[in-house]
Amino acid sequence: MLHDTFAYLVVAALSCLVAATAKADCALRRLQWLLIAFWNVSLVMQIALGWGVIRLPSVDPWFWERFRGWSENPNQLALYCALLAALSLHLALSAKGFGRLAALLSCLLSLVVGRLTRSDTFLGAMVLCTAVLLVLRLWRWLTSPEHRYSLRFAAAMLIVVAAVPLSLSLTPYAVATADDVESLAASMTKDHGGEGTMRTAALRLYLWQNALKLGLESGSLGLGPGPHLWRPKIADDDDRPFTRPFEAHNTVLDIFTQGGLLGVIALYGLFAGTFLLVLRAKLDALAVMIVALVFFSMTHFIPRHPIVWFALAVSLILGLERAPSPSARIGT
């Protein structure tokens, strides 16, 4: 309870500080570049530590075969890689020359390290985010007046026109190779075979059911900060059950057990509002970052991470600065 209480105070102070002091000007852009620069330096140092190039006492960068760097567990590193890859992509889309190349390299480095964590959530988030980004970019090219007679518009039209017959022609092949696709998906999970993933899924399903039950028993008002679930007995070396409180590993259900239905509505209302704001401001990379946030929230408890609130604050600031004025929205 104390851990969560102090964590919430820290992220609240950070969010208010960023929102109150940062503006959509050169200073904020410089702040983003500095963040990406320090992030890349830290990733390089963590990779060097993982492969034994440098050594730090009492730091183990591996969690079995999963890379965790300086983090407590690989999933924390995967979350940072997902968000900062999207932020790097945002800088790449708005930069020119060497700056665009540097931002793209930063995005690639984050993706590589994120894959080294062998996080199933990271893999799923990147697949979804790639699809969302492609759709958004195609939509921008098709609807933007300045691209109406450009090569981008012609390429987007060709992709859209060819998508339907191509998908129809590939349907029999997709059906015939469904088993191979399933095997490929299983091989890409953290244990290369899907067994560990299925075991984790069964555990989390049990926790989710109990979290929903506990939240409803509280009258949908919540029980306050901290974990409130009891982990089931699992196979262990000495076959003993975990007796400490446990979390649902799902932001919706964890917030539901802590803050009730009102907390869930507030948090995901913020996510939805921020997504619509950056979408209207044509900040596609930041919209993808919000998608990654929501995807990670389905299998992890993310509100304690300061990077989550920094990402939201930056998205809100830039989205509000580039949002159409009320007079422009009503056509006057």
Side-chain angles (χ1 to χ4, degrees), residues 174-196:
V175 173
T177 59
D179 292 339
D180 293 335
V181 173
E182 184 178 355
S183 300
L184 175 62
S187 67
M188 296 177 71
T189 56
K190 62 173 68 74
D191 58 347
H192 296 287
E195 183 180 350

Side-chain angles (χ1 to χ4, degrees), residues 86-288:
L87 185 61
S88 299
L89 181 61
H90 165 69
L91 292 175
L93 292 176
S94 56
K96 295 181 180 180
F98 177 76
R100 173 168 295 184
L101 177 62
L104 287 175
L105 290 176
S106 172
C107 180
L108 179 61
L109 181 61
S110 297
L111 293 176
V112 170
V113 175
R115 190 66 191 99
L116 288 175
T117 64
R118 298 192 179 182
S119 168
D120 297 335
T121 307
F122 178 84
L123 181 61
M126 293 303 99
V127 172
L128 176 62
C129 289
T130 300
V132 172
L133 180 64
L134 290 176
V135 170
L136 290 178
R137 298 309 291 175
L138 282 174
W139 177 254
R140 301 296 181 208
W141 293 348
L142 289 172
T143 59
S144 179
E146 61 268 21
H147 293 153
R148 185 57 55 87
Y149 302 102
S150 67
L151 183 60
R152 287 183 177 181
F153 179 80
M157 285 296 298
L158 286 174
I159 292 174
V160 172
V161 171
V164 175
L166 181 62
S167 60
L168 292 176
S169 64
L170 291 178
T171 300
Y173 175 77
V175 173
T177 59
D179 292 339
D180 293 335
V181 173
E182 184 178 355
S183 300
L184 175 62
S187 67
M188 296 177 71
T189 56
K190 62 173 68 74
D191 58 347
H192 296 287
E195 183 180 350
T197 302
M198 295 302 295
R199 189 165 56 247
T200 301
L203 173 61
R204 290 191 176 182
L205 181 60
Y206 175 91
L207 293 171
W208 294 350
Q209 291 172 343
N210 282 271
L212 181 60
K213 179 182 177 182
L214 191 63
L216 292 175
E217 289 176 350
S218 71
S220 298
L221 298 176
L223 300 171
H228 301 287
L229 301 176
W230 296 99
R231 185 170 181 170
K233 185 176 181 179
I234 61 173
D236 202 280
D237 292 337
D238 52 0
D239 202 32
R240 291 183 302 176
F242 282 84
T243 57
R244 59 184 175 85
F246 211 68
E247 293 176 344
H249 292 276
N250 179 286
T251 300
V252 177
L253 294 175
D254 277 315
I255 292 294
F256 185 52
T257 58
Q258 295 186 25
L261 183 60
L262 183 61
V264 175
I265 294 174
L267 180 62
Y268 281 86
L270 177 62
F271 286 164
T274 306
F275 177 77
L276 294 176
L277 185 65
V278 295
L279 201 62
R280 189 176 60 185
K282 299 181 179 180
L283 299 171
D284 296 340
L286 296 183
V288 166

